[in-house]
Amino acid sequence: MDIPIDFPTVPLSSGHNIPILGLGMSHHGGYSHNALLHALRSCNIRHIDTAKRYGNEELIGKAISESGVKREDLWITTKLWPGDYGYENATQACLDSCKRLGVDYLDLYLMHWPDVQIPGKSSREGRAETWKALEDLYYRGVCRSIGVSNFLIHHLEQLKENCDVVPHLNQVEYHPFQRPQELVDYCNRNNIVFGGYCPLAKGQVLTHPVILRLAKQYGKTPAQICIRWSIQNGIVTIPKSTKESRIQENCQVLDFILGDDDVFSINSLHDGRHVTWDPSNVL
Ligand SMILES: NC(=O)c1ccc[n+]([C@@H]2O[C@H](COP(=O)([O-])OP(=O)(O)OC[C@H]3O[C@@H](n4cnc5c(N)ncnc54)[C@H](OP(=O)(O)O)[C@@H]3O)[C@@H](O)[C@H]2O)c1
């Protein structure tokens, strides 16, 4: 099996290095204990992306302990759900996530969404108060890096004005149909690493004629073409699969390079469509 020994990493402004390829663990499509064990034991996956919302932190904790992989060799990201926003709630939610995962620190903790509903507070005030909790968890060492998810430029600008720590990473939908280059450029300028989710557009991009043509040309699968393209664009990439063979396939993306023209062809597929959410609902 041609699995890389170590995946390349991307440096965060916290001083830590996040593996560029991780395993998505969203609740859509279910959870497979065997697939996660296979990823850890046989595919050298060392980066796991979950969230309180996915309801599987405890199961992931069990799989990690069963796998025998050492805590210090893993990168674990989890996310704070908006129902837990506010200083006290966010602090407690983080400690609860650590307990469920069976760890005493997180590698990365993200505010899952920018929309906030705290009575008597504006969304901006709610985000700032919640972010203050993440900053304190970061100063205490409970979270080695902190970040946000689904934040647009104006959310990041407001946070910058109100807070001390600039988010180390922003995780946003990113695949050939959804390539928010203005946001990527903003993050690059502000030293915020761009994490991309849904790299396969939940499978929707895998039958596009351009992807099929490139898969044939490179002797790779459509999923490998999409993951390679995302990584080559410098994006931290977290495909999900509940199938052992697909996790293995999705890891085998370091032994080829897409030519500039082919990267450009995939870049051109952007039509702005979202496969997960409607941005008009984000305040
Ligand atoms: N921050 C956020 O708001 C947010 C939102 C959405 C997602 N995420 C994160 O991003 C991760 C990835 O996103 P996602 O799971 O929504 O979508 P995705 O990774 O783009 O696609 C996953 C889908 O593709 C299928 N698949 C995986 N590998 C394949 C392959 N090699 N060939 C064919 N089909 C394949 C999977 O099915 P099988 O399981 O049957 O293989 C699953 O249905 C999530 O798991 C989550 O960790 C974050």
Side-chain angles (χ1 to χ4, degrees), residues 26 49 149-150 171 200 202 240-243 246 250:
S26 109
D49 182 274
S149 178
N150 299 300
Q171 187 187 98
L200 311 177
K202 291 190 179 291
K240 170 185 176 162
S241 178
T242 50
K243 311 223 168 16
R246 283 179 173 174
N250 295 348

Side-chain angles (χ1 to χ4, degrees), residues 122-165:
S122 68
S123 290
R124 178 179 179 156
E125 287 166 340
R127 280 192 290 276
E129 179 187 324
T130 306
W131 185 250
K132 179 82 184 96
L134 267 68
E135 287 180 337
D136 286 347
L137 288 159
Y138 171 61
Y139 294 138
R140 284 166 59 186
V142 179
C143 304
R144 294 200 168 172
S145 302
I146 50 175
V148 294
S149 178
N150 299 300
F151 273 45
L152 304 176
I153 291 174
H154 70 276
H155 300 124
L156 293 165
E157 279 289 291
Q158 288 173 357
L159 206 58
K160 207 163 67 171
E161 285 168 21
N162 290 345
C163 301
D164 295 330
V165 179

Side-chain angles (χ1 to χ4, degrees), residues 181 183-194 233-234:
Q181 195 56 42
L183 182 57
V184 173
D185 291 341
Y186 174 89
C187 287
N188 287 341
R189 279 198 307 278
N190 287 277
N191 214 3
I192 301 169
V193 167
F194 195 98
N233 280 344

